[in-house]
Amino acid sequence: MKNASADSSSAIQVGEFYELKTGSDVSDSAHYNEDIAPTQVKERTWNVWNVAALWVGMAICVPTYTLGGVLTAYFGLSVMEALMAILVANIIVLIPLTLNAFPGTKFGIPFPVLLRSSFGMVGSNIPCLIRAMVACGWFGIQTMFGGLAIHILLSHLLPGWESLGGTGEVIGFFTFLVLNLYIVIKGAESIKILETLAAPLLLAVGIGLMMWASPKISYEALLAIPANRPEGASFWGYFFAGVTAMVGFWATLSLNIPDFSRYVRSQKDQIAGQIIGLPLTMFFFAALGVVLTAASTTLVGETISDPVTLIGKIDSPVWVVIAMVIIIIATLSTNTAANIVSPTNDFQNVAPKKINQTRGVLLTGLIGVLLMAWELLKKLGLIESDVSVEAMYSGWLLGYSSLLGPIAGIMIVDYFVIKRQQLSLPDLYKTHGIYSGFNINGFIAFAIPVALTLYALITGQLSWFYQYGWFTGSILGGLTYWFCAKGLSAEAVNLATQND
């Protein structure tokens, strides 16, 4: 991997950037502020275990717990098929994750700044806002789970709190929201500390829960449950649809991973950390969800797929309190890293001189609340709605991967093939640099797969294109971008090299 030379090159480029910034048009540029500027070498303190802990902290959450159930209920897979789909998908998603992390580690730049190379200085805002809105939606969903955990915790600690019902859950929602926003406002170092402390605790609790639930179920009977699909239907079609949906689960992070890799010491650390932290954690916690859901009938007399509700029904106040604290920590570690950092940077990219990190965090929180307003009003008894939070996020898994796949393909081809890992740091922040306001190649490459996806949804034809949306979108987006940009690639590389 030539990590040493890559890191040396990175240090030189960032050092030159800060020498040039003073007295140049970079500081005064409408595209620059201190929070999205390249990280200096002294700020890059994350090692391989910090990266692994980041992924453990993000992967252990309520939605991961329910993935096995989603695949068996909605995608026609058996339990073992569902778990294998989750493992395969998370091995696959490591490819865009590690590749898109490269420029973040080399140049110290966040996701929206990297997008300026492939979509343009102003055009980058369109894919940024697509990513940001998805993150705000997930932020609201995770905050709802965290708020429920706080409500159950307080119900066991404070007499009379349980009688508040939905009002108590809403109070828990806003309490959990404030905790999330505070940690991210404190900066990347606070996130690193949270994830590093949470990871071993969460793994230990997960292993303990698996050992506790195992005697209460029959693994043989669980694995013998037939797949929920038409008799004689092809296994592969259902399996790959499930894999596509599971890739979509982390399709968001495969785009904005530079937001974290910009703090990592070397390419070796970011690659090894992601390989260690992601696939097996996702597989294990999804398996834990399947096992505990199966054991729930023995434990509480009914089948419950939501761990917060399940633990809340256990007749042991001490264990409920301990479990709720763990769930709050797990959801906090996921939400801060996966769902606040990216939109915070994305909103800054729109107007860096007006939106700094603190304002970006607050804007993320506001939008997250608005997107969950229907659920909050329902809990307060002000409206009625049959739409569940679970249905909301399970419906997203396939849909949004169709939008994010092309962006991932475009980013990888632009950086590794067209620009050949050469970017001009000062020009990524200049108003009149070598990067155009709108890179038409990026928008053509994005529009074609999106148009085909919409055509498939509207007409019912080309259904395979939508069904395997992340794969078809990323491959077609990357190839289209290469075809559109290859005539300009030599000129772009020469300009970038001259400005290094």
Side-chain angles (χ1 to χ4, degrees), residues 162-348:
E162 187 176 1
S163 63
L164 293 175
T167 301
E169 291 184 37
V170 172
I171 294 173
F173 175 92
F174 284 101
T175 302
F176 189 74
L177 180 142
V178 171
L179 282 172
N180 281 266
L181 302 186
Y182 174 78
I183 289 172
V184 181
I185 287 174
K186 293 289 287 183
E189 193 66 18
S190 66
I191 295 175
K192 184 183 82 170
I193 293 171
L194 171 66
E195 302 295 346
T196 302
L197 293 176
L201 174 64
L202 297 177
L203 284 174
V205 170
I207 293 170
L209 285 172
M210 184 69 84
M211 295 173 63
W212 170 68
S214 290
K216 298 173 175 61
I217 67 166
S218 167
Y219 282 99
E220 184 178 351
L222 182 62
L223 297 177
I225 299 174
N228 180 30
R229 57 176 177 264
E231 187 175 351
S234 170
F235 156 75
W236 294 107
Y238 285 86
F239 181 77
F240 284 124
V243 168
T244 302
M246 293 303 99
V247 169
F249 191 81
W250 288 122
T252 50
L253 264 293
S254 72
L255 301 185
N256 77 285
I257 191 65
D259 290 334
F260 300 101
S261 66
R262 65 195 292 232
Y263 297 102
V264 181
R265 299 185 307 186
S266 69
Q267 301 293 2
K268 180 180 178 181
D269 284 332
Q270 68 92 355
I271 293 171
Q274 295 199 83
I275 292 173
I276 293 170
L278 177 61
L280 291 179
T281 304
M282 286 291 292
F283 178 84
F284 168 70
F285 206 65
L288 176 64
V290 172
V291 170
L292 282 180
T293 300
S296 62
T297 304
T298 302
L299 294 172
V300 297
E302 59 181 305
T303 300
I304 300 176
S305 60
D306 169 16
V308 182
T309 304
L310 172 62
I311 294 171
K313 288 180 175 292
I314 295 175
D315 188 21
S316 173
V318 174
W319 284 112
V320 170
V321 168
I322 294 172
M324 285 303 130
V325 171
I326 300 301
I327 286 177
I328 290 169
I329 293 172
T331 310
L332 190 64
S333 64
T334 299
N335 221 15
T336 51
N339 302 321
I340 305 180
V341 173
S342 176
T344 294
N345 289 336
D346 296 337
F347 292 139
Q348 289 185 80

Side-chain angles (χ1 to χ4, degrees), residues 357-393:
Q357 177 172 302
T358 299
R359 291 177 179 175
V361 171
L362 296 176
L363 185 57
T364 299
L366 175 62
I367 295 174
V369 170
L370 293 176
L371 290 176
M372 285 291 105
W374 56 276
E375 183 70 14
L376 295 172
L377 293 173
K378 186 170 70 172
K379 290 185 181 299
L380 291 172
L382 299 177
I383 64 170
E384 294 183 3
S385 174
D386 295 329
V387 179
S388 67
V389 173
E390 290 83 355
M392 186 179 179
Y393 74 71

Side-chain angles (χ1 to χ4, degrees), residues 61-71 145 285-286 289 305-307 390 393:
C61 59
V62 174
T64 301
Y65 178 100
T66 64
L67 287 182
V70 168
L71 288 177
F145 286 126
F285 206 65
S305 60
D306 169 16
E390 290 83 355
Y393 74 71

Side-chain angles (χ1 to χ4, degrees), residues 426-462:
D427 287 290
L428 284 172
Y429 294 90
K430 290 180 180 178
T431 303
H432 303 292
I434 66 171
Y435 301 104
S436 60
F438 287 86
N439 185 345
I440 191 63
N441 299 324
F443 285 99
I444 292 173
F446 178 68
I448 290 176
V450 170
L452 286 174
T453 297
L454 293 175
Y455 174 80
L457 286 172
I458 294 171
T459 67
Q461 301 178 22
L462 293 177

Side-chain angles (χ1 to χ4, degrees), residues 83-93 239-240 243 247 283:
L83 294 179
M84 290 308 301
I86 292 168
L87 180 61
V88 169
N90 283 280
I91 291 173
I92 291 172
V93 85
F239 181 77
F240 284 124
V243 168
V247 169
F283 178 84

